[in-house]
């Protein structure tokens, strides 16, 4: 376990997703023809940072990843520009933030950093200037549920091309949205929409119902093609927050699902190991399985869950067959949108249906040795 994240495993999972996805996005956009990448951090902090160099904060993770990506793309002869915008309302935290990032502001080499001391909602105009003529990723990581009302920050969400990662603090929202205080209940209107209490589907589990309202408002604010949410649990197996991702790109969808899988696998293993370490420290007795063995068992459990989800995706694809043939490029995006699967899982679903003689193995025609379909292969029933 990384020492700076001791007892903060959920924060480590969040930063894992941010780091991996930003790395993927930076290389894809900068190699793919975009000259400028903008990164917007709406609630920068630092909060509860345990590292002297703030390497366990979102803003320093972003600076590190983006500087590395810029340097590597330059080796290919390109001159990419990186623009970072960090907003923080708390004055003391902002002072630390400014001191940490100032040495990395390097306009001569195309690396720009702008800081803002104030409410994220009040920085929209400046952020739009930063995002102009760039591909943008916005990361919103509040300590609660206020400060990012969708009607106020809608221009940031609507920037195209652009994507959003948002930490929805479900645990706090779940507790305080059950309040009887009218002012507290009204404070959720900005992210759950007007009359949200009447619109909340009480026939569903509360977490599902709340996430449904939130993702609907998130989707409307950005007019996204795909909105995904990744639950991150505490050691106690209770959901702490959801990472919500919005994109208009099928390739972005595929990239995020890859990162999500790696993050949940790693987080599950860390949680299992941490639980065993806590148990041993409390009882003073070693368990039947050590921390490493518990982590391995968690990995096996996740693979079993993926297999179960793939089986559900098979049923979904069976329902689509009457509208086929379609190229695989029209099959995997809606599958990944609906199910927590990677593109490689979507291929495996097709392979298994092919072996069961439910669809044609078109990827093996003309003596092809390919074992899985690619985007141009037609998916059609026998």
């Amino acid at each position: 376990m990384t020492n700076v994240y001791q007892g903060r495993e959920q924060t480590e999972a969040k930063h894992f997703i941010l780091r991996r996805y930003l790395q993927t996005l930076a290389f894809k956009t900068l190699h793919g023809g975009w000259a400028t990448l903008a990164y917007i951090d709406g609630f920068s902090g630092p909060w509860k940072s345990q590292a002297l160099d703030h390497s366990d904060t979102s803003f320093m993770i972003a600076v590190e990843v983006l500087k590395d990506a810029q340097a590597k793309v330059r080796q290919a002869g390109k001159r990419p520009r990186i623009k970072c915008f960090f907003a923080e309302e708390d004055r003391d935290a902002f002072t630390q933030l400014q001191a940490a990032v100032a040495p990395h502001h390097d306009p001569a080499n195309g690396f720009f950093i702008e800081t803002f001391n104030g409410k994220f909602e009040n920085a929209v105009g400046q952020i739009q200037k930063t995002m102009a003529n760039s591909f943008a990723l916005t990361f919103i990581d509040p300590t609660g549920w206020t400060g990012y009302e969708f009607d106020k920050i809608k221009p940031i969400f609507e920037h195209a091309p652009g994507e959003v990662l948002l930490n929805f603090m479900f645990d706090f929202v779940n507790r305080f949205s059950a309040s009887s205080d009218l002012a507290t209940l009204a404070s959720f209107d900005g992210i759950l929409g007007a009359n949200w209490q009447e619109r909340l589907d009480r026939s569903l589990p509360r977490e599902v119902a709340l996430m449904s309202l939130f993702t609907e408002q998130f989707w409307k604010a950005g007019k996204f093609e795909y909105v995904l949410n990744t639950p991150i649990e505490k050691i106690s197996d209770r959901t702490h927050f959801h990472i919500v991702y919005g994109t208009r790109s099928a390739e972005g969808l595929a990239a995020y699902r890859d990162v999500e899988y790696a993050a949940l696998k790693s987080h599950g293993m860390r949680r299992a190991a941490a639980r065993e370490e806590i148990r041993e420290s409390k009882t003073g007795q070693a368990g039947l399985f050590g921390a490493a063995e518990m982590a391995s068992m968690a990995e096996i459990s996740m693979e079993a869950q993926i297999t179960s989800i793939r089986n559900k995706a098979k049923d979904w694809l069976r329902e689509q067959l009457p509208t086929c043939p379609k190229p695989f490029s029209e099959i995997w995006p809606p599958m990944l949108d609906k199910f927590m699967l990677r593109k490689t899982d979507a291929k495996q679903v097709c392979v298994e249906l092919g072996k069961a003689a439910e669809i044609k193995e078109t990827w093996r025609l003309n003596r092809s040795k390919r074992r899985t379909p690619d985007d141009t292969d037609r998916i059609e029933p026998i």
Side-chain angles (χ1 to χ4, degrees):
M1 184 182 298
T2 308
N3 290 334
V4 293
Y5 289 109
Q6 183 80 35
R8 299 191 302 149
E9 289 77 18
Q10 62 272 14
T11 300
E12 187 170 13
K14 173 178 63 182
H15 287 169
F16 183 107
I17 290 174
L18 174 63
R19 180 186 297 276
R20 285 284 188 92
Y21 189 72
L22 188 54
Q23 284 173 335
T24 301
L25 178 69
F27 285 114
K28 281 184 177 291
T29 55
L30 297 178
H31 274 300
W34 280 95
T36 306
L37 175 62
Y39 172 78
I40 314 300
D41 194 323
F43 296 78
S44 296
W47 300 109
K48 299 183 180 180
S49 175
Q50 301 297 311
L52 294 177
D53 61 356
H54 295 305
S55 58
D56 59 342
T57 64
S58 60
F59 62 83
M60 285 307 296
I61 289 171
V63 168
E64 174 197 338
V65 168
L66 293 172
K67 288 184 74 173
D68 178 67
Q70 184 187 50
K72 288 178 178 175
V73 172
R74 278 184 168 181
Q75 292 174 3
K78 299 185 178 183
R79 303 290 294 177
R81 285 163 33 104
I82 303 293
K83 296 192 290 185
C84 299
F85 188 100
F86 300 115
E88 175 51 51
E89 182 178 3
D90 182 85
R91 184 66 200 180
D92 291 339
F94 177 78
T95 299
Q96 296 179 57
L97 164 69
Q98 198 170 38
V101 301
H104 301 284
H105 178 59
D106 187 9
N109 288 303
F111 200 95
F112 303 85
I113 294 179
E114 185 177 358
T115 55
F116 178 85
N117 183 205
K119 292 184 177 181
F120 176 53
E121 296 171 337
N122 293 339
V124 171
Q126 290 176 243
I127 291 172
Q128 285 183 282
K129 293 178 182 178
T130 299
M131 301 167 91
N133 302 314
S134 69
F135 193 107
L137 176 67
T138 299
F139 180 61
I140 300 174
D141 187 16
T143 55
W145 63 89
T146 60
Y148 63 99
E149 291 187 19
F150 290 145
D151 284 347
K152 295 180 180 179
I153 65 171
K154 193 174 182 179
I156 298 173
F157 275 40
E158 289 181 335
H159 175 84
E163 299 180 336
V164 176
L165 281 172
L166 190 151
N167 177 13
F168 178 65
M169 297 294 288
F170 168 76
D171 198 20
F172 289 163
V173 171
N174 186 41
R175 280 187 285 141
F176 287 96
S177 63
S179 170
S180 59
D181 180 71
L182 295 180
T184 299
L185 294 175
S187 69
F188 292 101
D189 289 357
I191 59 172
L192 298 181
N195 305 313
W196 65 268
Q197 294 178 82
E198 288 76 18
R199 291 166 39 242
L200 186 70
D201 189 344
R202 302 184 189 280
S203 68
L204 297 173
R206 187 168 176 83
E207 182 171 353
V208 175
L210 283 170
M211 288 309 304
S212 178
L213 284 184
F214 182 81
T215 53
E216 178 187 13
Q217 298 303 307
F218 182 97
W219 174 78
K220 287 181 178 179
K223 300 176 182 175
F224 297 109
E225 183 73 20
Y226 309 104
V227 174
L228 310 179
N229 77 82
T230 307
I232 304 295
E233 296 179 334
K234 292 184 174 182
I235 291 178
S236 60
D237 286 338
R238 189 176 77 246
T239 300
H240 188 49
F241 52 74
H242 284 251
I243 299 297
V244 183
Y245 167 73
T247 184
R248 301 170 188 88
S249 163
E251 291 304 320
L253 168 69
Y256 181 79
R257 284 301 196 198
D258 283 341
V259 171
E260 175 186 60
Y261 171 84
L264 291 178
K265 179 178 178 180
S266 177
H267 184 52
M269 293 168 68
R270 285 195 302 271
R271 286 173 53 241
R275 281 197 297 264
E276 181 61 16
E277 290 172 357
I278 291 171
R279 190 201 67 77
E280 289 183 4
S281 67
K282 286 182 177 180
T283 64
Q285 297 179 344
L288 181 61
F289 301 103
E293 288 79 6
M294 292 297 289
S296 179
M297 291 168 67
E299 181 180 11
I300 294 171
S301 175
M302 181 172 178
E303 292 303 326
Q305 292 177 43
I306 295 297
T307 299
S308 175
I309 296 172
R310 279 209 305 261
N311 287 334
K312 293 177 182 177
K314 281 185 197 176
D315 290 337
W316 172 85
L317 183 51
R318 289 183 179 108
E319 293 174 359
Q320 311 307 308
L321 290 180
T323 65
C324 290
K326 292 179 180 177
F328 181 64
S329 62
E330 294 182 18
I331 295 293
W332 69 260
M335 186 184 291
L336 269 59
D337 186 33
K338 187 174 181 65
F339 300 99
M340 193 179 287
L341 295 173
R342 299 159 293 167
K343 189 174 179 180
T344 186
D345 294 308
K347 291 183 177 184
Q348 188 60 32
V349 166
C350 292
V351 168
E352 291 176 9
L353 289 181
K355 289 181 178 179
E358 294 186 54
I359 64 174
K360 296 178 181 179
E361 296 179 302
T362 54
W363 53 93
R364 302 187 67 180
L365 295 177
N366 300 319
R367 298 182 180 180
S368 170
K369 294 183 179 180
R370 288 186 294 114
R371 296 182 179 180
T372 61
D374 62 24
D375 280 359
T376 60
D377 288 314
R378 290 155 60 91
I379 304 302
E380 56 183 299
I382 296 291

